Structures are given as C-alpha cells and as structure tokens.
Amino acid sequence: MALAAPLLAAASPAYRTGTAAVVAPADAGDRYVPALARHGWNSIAVTEPAHQPGDSAGYLQHITHRGSLRRTAAHLNRLGVQAVLAGSPAGTELADLLATRLNLPGNALDTADIRRDTGFTSAALLESGITAPRSIRTARLSNALEWAAFTQTAELVLQHPDPTHPRPFHFCRTADDIRVAWHRLQDSSTQPLVLREHLAGAQYRIHTLTGPDRAGASEHTITSIWSEIRTPEQQVSRADLLSRQGLLARALALYTMRALTALGVRYGPAHATVTFIPDRGPALLSLRTDPYADFATDTLRLATGHDPIRDTALLLATGRRPEAPHQPHAHVTKIALLPRRDGALDPALLRTITALPTVAATTALTGGAPVRAGQIAGWLLLIARDSRAINQDHQVVRAAENLGLYGSAA
C-alpha cells in the first residue's frame, strides 16, 4: 500500500470573521460553536437526514447532506464556508471529502480510509518504515488462524478495524481464544476484523494540532501527552499528564509527528494511542481525527494550557497555535471510578473523595446514583504541585472503592 508524498497544505484562513461547516456534530463537536464564536466565526451544521441537531445548538444554519457531495459542497460554497471540520467520528469521511471539494484546509483524501482503519494504518506505517504492530485484516476466520500459526506470536489482540468502535478488543493466546473472540466481535460474514500482535508496553494518549507553517507545509504540534494506566480489561484507570521535557516525551513526539505525516494528517486536531516498547520504541495503536473534549475543560486548560477544541478554533480563525503556559506545569492526573459490581454511589464516601485536597474537578457525580460493573462511573481531576500529594489522594480514592463507594463492602 503505497502512500503519496506529503503535499503542501492549503494556507490557513486568517479572516477576522468567517463561517465553518461542522460535519455530523455531536457532543465534543458542538463545542466548536462557542469556541469559533469567540473569534467572530459562525458555524453551520452538516448532518445526515436521520441525525439532526437540536434547534438550540447555536448553529447559524443546518444543512442536510442527502448523498450528493456536489450539491452539499455547492450549498456550502454559496454560504461562504471557509473551513470544514469533523464534528464527530461519523463526520470524518464527509469532512475530508468536502474540504477537498471546496479546496479548503483538510486532511489528505487519498489516505482517509487508511486513517479510519487500524489494519490499514499499521500496514501503511510498516510499509513506510515506521514501527507499528504486525497484523492481518480479514473477514475470514481461517485466514486469521493461518496468520496466527505462521507468526507464532505468543499474545495477540483481536479488534474491530474502526478505532472509534465501542466494542472492546480481546486478548488471545490460543487458536481457541481467537475463535471465541471472533464470533463475539464479528457482526456479519463480510465484516473484517484485525488480528494483531499484542505490544506489552506502556500506553500514551497523544493530542496534536496540525496546520500550515509559513511556507504552507503541514506542521504538527504536540499539545499534550498522557501516560495511561489500564486495567486487565484495557479500561483507562488513571492518566497522568507527561512532562514534555524528557527523552521519552521527545521520542513519543517525534514518532507521532512522523506517523501523522505518513497518514496524511494535514489540518486540525488528532489524538493517537501509542505504546512504547523498550527494545522497539514507540508504535501507533490507533489514530483518530474527530474532535476530543475532556471533562472539566476550563480547569484542564488552566492547568495544561491546552484545549483541543479551542486550540483548533484559534488555529482556524487566526492561523496561530496556542502558546504554552509560562509557568511550569503542575502535576495533573485523571482518575476513573471503576465499580467491580453493580451498585450505587455511597453519598458519604463520595463526599470524602470529592473533598480531597488535590481534587480540582469531577464529572457529574451524585450520591445514590446507580453504577454498573465494568463501566466507568465517573472521573476525578487531580492537580497539585507535588506528585506525592496526588498519589496519596489516589490511594484514598481506591481505598474508598474497597470500603463501599459503590455499595456495601464485600
């Protein structure tokens, strides 16, 4: 699978006011509206017939895409749209198509399918000489079993090729493991799955922003790197903001920027999951170019200096990237509440953990609210100058879970 050489990106629009099309907006994507409005920009929602946004979403106009790229692009052109943004995972494909059709800044169209498929992504990176997991993408179980037998890899992962797919992947050590996981994941006989080697290294979530430099070539900026601790079921239980001053952060940043270039990321936000194996270095596990919005965004922005949505709006409206904070970063940690069984949040213990000294913000947490085993019940944001204070409060949170945060103690 040959990749085209990176092309020059379209120059960033530097209008005082403008109009952006947000394709398939939902959740994080809707945050573009107020973020762009701060710079005097309007937003137009582009949706499929079955997914109309609410009337109070703040969009200047709602455009329904009914399958004709030519008609939708012509409509947006008449409205003076100067930028196209994906408003959700469902909007990435149409956003790439519209940006290319309108000759506006956007990601490379010839690698769009590669970016949205973990199997294609790994193959493309390996062909470009960039470290990535060895894998096979196939709709046939027999092919997956033959590949597993040929590679003789001790630990494998079976997953859906779509990095935004909600169904979890499965670890496999034997042919029987692959068979069982295959029948759980495959929706139809034509649905391909990806079987890849399991890379047992630390995992990092890397947020980036890409736009043209002064010469018009795409320039990638690493806005934040989060070191993730995961459960055996691969749920993130803790994420720590990584200082970008060390050798590890530099290695992750250089690798990610190289991978983004190979995969045709030329404009806007992206977030990548990268693992680091001591004897092989970084390796990309998945890439997404849909918008990402964390909880407590204002608090996080004050602590880290970055917010993916507001950063993108700033780049779009002014051509500038956000400046890094002048003060040294505080230690910033996100902790997931992970019930092991069904229950309800104990009000007293909930007040205890939310009142801890380093807890700066939480998701919406209500005493007595039901929780489900294996599903994240909420998040806490911890900020402190001393990492030991965060570690102490983290231990208190985990102790509260054992003492009955989700109901009576076992």
Side-chain angles (χ1 to χ4, degrees):
M1 183 184 305
L3 289 177
L7 301 175
L8 292 182
S12 174
Y15 308 105
R16 285 185 176 275
T17 60
T19 301
V22 183
V23 182
D27 300 327
D30 284 327
R31 288 191 57 232
Y32 277 129
V33 177
L36 288 166
R38 292 188 182 96
H39 301 283
W41 277 56
N42 295 314
S43 300
I44 292 174
V46 179
T47 61
E48 302 285 349
H51 300 93
Q52 297 295 324
D55 293 335
S56 60
Y59 293 95
L60 179 67
Q61 193 169 342
H62 297 166
I63 303 299
T64 301
H65 174 67
R66 301 187 184 277
S68 173
L69 181 66
R70 179 184 61 81
R71 289 183 179 180
T72 301
H75 196 168
L76 294 178
N77 191 47
R78 288 194 299 270
L79 292 171
V81 165
Q82 295 140 356
V84 180
L85 297 167
S88 68
T92 55
E93 180 178 6
L94 183 55
D96 291 338
L97 290 166
L98 287 171
T100 300
R101 184 89 179 195
L102 294 167
N103 195 32
L104 294 173
N107 294 321
L109 191 58
D110 59 343
T111 50
D113 290 342
I114 295 173
R115 289 191 296 273
R116 291 191 292 271
D117 189 301
T118 55
F120 290 153
T121 297
S122 292
L125 291 178
L126 289 170
E127 190 166 325
S128 298
I130 300 174
T131 305
R134 296 171 297 167
S135 65
I136 182 174
R137 180 189 186 276
T138 178
R140 299 181 62 181
L141 174 58
S142 59
N143 290 346
L145 292 171
E146 290 173 4
W147 182 84
F150 176 77
T151 59
Q152 294 291 304
T153 303
E155 290 187 327
L156 297 164
V157 172
L158 185 70
Q159 64 188 86
H160 197 280
D162 183 355
T164 70
H165 198 272
R167 299 180 70 174
F169 52 76
H170 295 267
F171 287 104
C172 303
R173 291 184 173 86
T174 66
D176 285 340
D177 290 344
I178 296 173
R179 291 189 185 93
V180 172
W182 190 276
H183 294 302
R184 289 179 179 175
L185 279 178
Q186 193 179 48
D187 298 324
S188 67
S189 59
T190 60
Q191 170 60 60
L193 297 177
V194 175
L195 184 65
R196 66 167 174 84
E197 62 176 329
H198 171 51
L199 301 179
Q203 289 194 21
Y204 302 87
R205 176 65 64 88
I206 302 175
H207 295 275
T208 69
L209 186 64
T210 300
D213 61 15
R214 293 183 178 179
S218 297
E219 181 180 35
H220 309 297
T221 300
I222 306 296
T223 56
S224 63
I225 302 176
W226 293 87
S227 174
E228 297 182 339
I229 297 175
R230 294 172 176 257
T231 68
E233 295 75 30
Q234 290 303 293
Q235 286 182 310
V236 178
S237 63
R238 172 173 172 166
D240 293 272
L241 185 68
L242 187 69
S243 169
R244 282 178 280 158
Q245 304 304 314
L247 293 177
L248 172 60
R250 180 170 175 78
L252 291 169
L254 291 174
Y255 170 88
T256 301
M257 290 189 287
R258 188 182 176 201
L260 293 180
T261 298
L263 296 172
V265 175
R266 297 180 186 165
Y267 199 87
H271 45 115
T273 299
V274 176
T275 187
F276 187 91
I277 303 96
D279 59 342
R280 290 174 62 177
L284 182 74
L285 299 181
S286 66
L287 173 69
R288 294 176 58 169
T289 57
D290 54 292
Y292 179 86
D294 216 325
F295 74 102
T297 53
D298 288 342
T299 304
L300 272 169
R301 182 172 55 84
L302 291 174
T304 67
H306 297 289
D307 172 356
I309 300 294
R310 293 181 65 161
D311 293 352
T312 303
L314 178 67
L315 175 67
L316 183 63
T318 68
R320 302 196 314 271
R321 289 171 172 79
E323 296 181 0
H326 296 295
Q327 298 297 325
H329 287 313
H331 294 278
V332 183
T333 298
K334 294 181 287 189
I335 295 177
L337 300 180
L338 293 167
R340 299 177 184 174
R341 60 184 183 277
D342 294 350
L345 288 172
D346 180 84
L349 287 173
L350 180 62
R351 286 194 297 271
T352 297
I353 64 171
T354 56
L356 290 169
T358 66
V359 174
T362 72
T363 53
L365 297 170
T366 304
V371 298
R372 297 292 300 275
Q375 297 182 8
I376 293 177
W379 288 89
L380 306 175
L381 177 65
L382 281 59
I383 300 176
R385 290 292 178 189
D386 188 341
S387 62
R388 291 174 296 183
I390 287 180
N391 291 332
Q392 289 171 0
D393 285 355
H394 176 245
Q395 291 177 3
V396 173
V397 172
R398 298 308 181 206
E401 290 181 313
N402 293 330
L403 288 171
L405 177 60
Y406 311 117
S408 61

